[in-house]
Amino acid sequence: MKKLFLTFIILALAVFTAACSSTTGGEETKKIKLGVSGSDTRIWDFIAEKAEKEGIEIEVVTFSDYVQPNVALAEGDLDVNAFQTVAYFDTFIKEHNMDLSPIATTVLAPMGLYSEKVKSVEDIPEGGKIAIPNDASNGGRALLLLEEAGLIKLSEDYDGNLDLNKIVENPKNLEFVEMVSAQTPRALPDVSASVINNGIAVEAGFNPTKDSVFMESETATPYVNIIAVRTEDKDNKTLKRIAELYQEDDVADFITKEYDGSMIPTFIPLSDIGW
């Protein structure tokens, strides 16, 4: 009787295990939790459909801030995340002593210089006012954009954080007006040009590739977005395959069409971002 009962238990467990495991082509589906910030999951919904055909089930978990996706990843509540720039990631893991690593680059959400008064950088007048974000990260990125545009030159020891004292050349004697990022579009009537974050520009009805007088190029590598994992998982085959699926041509085409140029697919080697 005991032997019969034990056999029954073993069979029941086998049936239960089979019922709880989804299979694709005879192989168990690999389930991955991926964290993003914000509610826009269009790119990952597209990739999830591709991954599903290969037996990879991607559950996209959304967060409302830029802190919790890294915390959740470090604590094991996520397998991977994709929401942050290289510059943010490098600073965050250093400040919080987290053992995370990037496994691929994804997109550049370009910062742009906008104007209601001029059509090109060359037309910005002597002594013109330029609005820039007043926080260290975005303001610093704005200065790098202005340097790329040829309007200023920064010192060789510039660290990427907002510091007007690091401007060593300002041939047009431009005046920089610092303000919170959200105000930069509203400043347009009062300045020669305004540096506006990608997300804020899009919310204000601008398209960086069509409406800016100058836009970041793909050489702005600190601001390329990445896919990140725990360092112990950086060679995980499933996670690496997800990164490969992201960097395929059909995803690049989808991003270009879906976002009408406000997101630029930027698939570059990790060595180009310092990893």
Side-chain angles (χ1 to χ4, degrees):
M1 185 68 180
K2 287 182 179 179
K3 187 174 181 181
L4 182 61
F5 180 75
L6 181 59
T7 302
F8 174 80
I9 292 295
I10 293 171
L11 287 171
L13 285 172
V15 171
F16 177 79
T17 301
C20 291
S21 300
S22 19
T23 59
T24 304
E27 295 183 4
E28 186 176 345
T29 299
K30 302 172 181 67
K31 297 185 178 182
I32 299 298
K33 281 191 175 182
L34 179 140
V36 300
S37 180
S39 59
D40 185 356
T41 63
R42 284 174 285 174
I43 298 172
W44 283 107
D45 290 343
F46 181 82
I47 294 168
E49 289 186 11
K50 295 174 52 173
E52 188 176 7
K53 297 174 183 177
E54 299 190 13
I56 303 170
E57 180 183 319
I58 299 176
E59 177 188 349
V60 180
V61 182
T62 60
F63 296 84
S64 59
D65 66 6
Y66 272 33
V67 174
Q68 290 307 310
N70 276 335
V71 173
L73 177 59
E75 293 180 349
D77 295 326
L78 296 174
D79 301 298
V80 58
N81 69 36
F83 73 98
Q84 60 198 321
T85 66
V86 175
Y88 179 84
F89 176 78
D90 286 346
T91 299
F92 190 93
I93 62 171
K94 183 177 180 180
E95 289 180 351
H96 295 81
N97 193 31
M98 289 183 174
D99 194 15
L100 308 178
S101 296
I103 58 170
T105 59
T106 56
V107 296
L108 175 70
M111 178 177 270
L113 181 66
Y114 299 81
S115 178
E116 292 182 353
K117 299 176 180 176
V118 301
K119 298 295 184 182
S120 70
V121 170
E122 291 73 24
D123 295 333
I124 294 175
E126 177 84 15
K129 292 182 178 180
I130 308 293
I132 61 173
N134 65 357
D135 63 282
S137 178
N138 288 306
R141 183 175 180 178
L143 293 186
L144 287 169
L145 172 66
L146 295 172
E147 182 178 53
E148 187 180 352
L151 290 169
I152 61 172
K153 184 175 180 180
L154 298 165
S155 64
E156 292 184 1
D157 64 347
Y158 182 61
D159 64 1
N161 291 307
L162 177 60
D163 185 351
L164 297 180
N165 293 321
K166 294 296 184 179
I167 299 174
V168 294
E169 292 182 20
N170 181 8
K172 290 193 175 187
N173 296 310
L174 300 173
E175 178 184 346
F176 302 99
V177 184
E178 300 176 45
M179 61 188 65
V180 295
S181 293
Q183 296 297 322
T184 50
R186 300 174 192 174
L188 283 168
D190 304 315
V191 296
S192 298
S194 182
V195 181
I196 307 176
N197 291 356
N198 181 282
I200 292 172
V202 171
E203 288 177 4
F206 297 120
N207 183 309
T209 59
K210 298 177 181 178
D211 301 319
S212 64
V213 297
F214 191 83
M215 184 184 76
E216 278 176 338
S217 70
E218 293 182 17
T219 60
T221 52
Y223 306 111
V224 172
N225 283 263
I226 58 168
I227 299 172
V229 300
R230 289 181 295 280
T231 300
E232 65 191 59
D233 292 331
K234 67 179 182 179
D235 295 320
N236 179 285
K237 290 183 179 179
T238 302
L239 299 179
K240 289 179 73 173
R241 181 56 187 152
I242 289 172
E244 290 170 354
L245 290 172
Y246 195 115
Q247 294 190 340
E248 290 180 342
D249 290 344
D250 61 338
V251 176
D253 291 341
F254 174 84
I255 293 169
T256 301
K257 293 174 183 176
E258 188 73 15
Y259 292 89
D260 196 23
S262 64
M263 293 279 193
I264 301 173
T266 309
F267 308 154
I268 58 178
L270 293 178
S271 58
D272 286 3
I273 60 171
W275 282 84

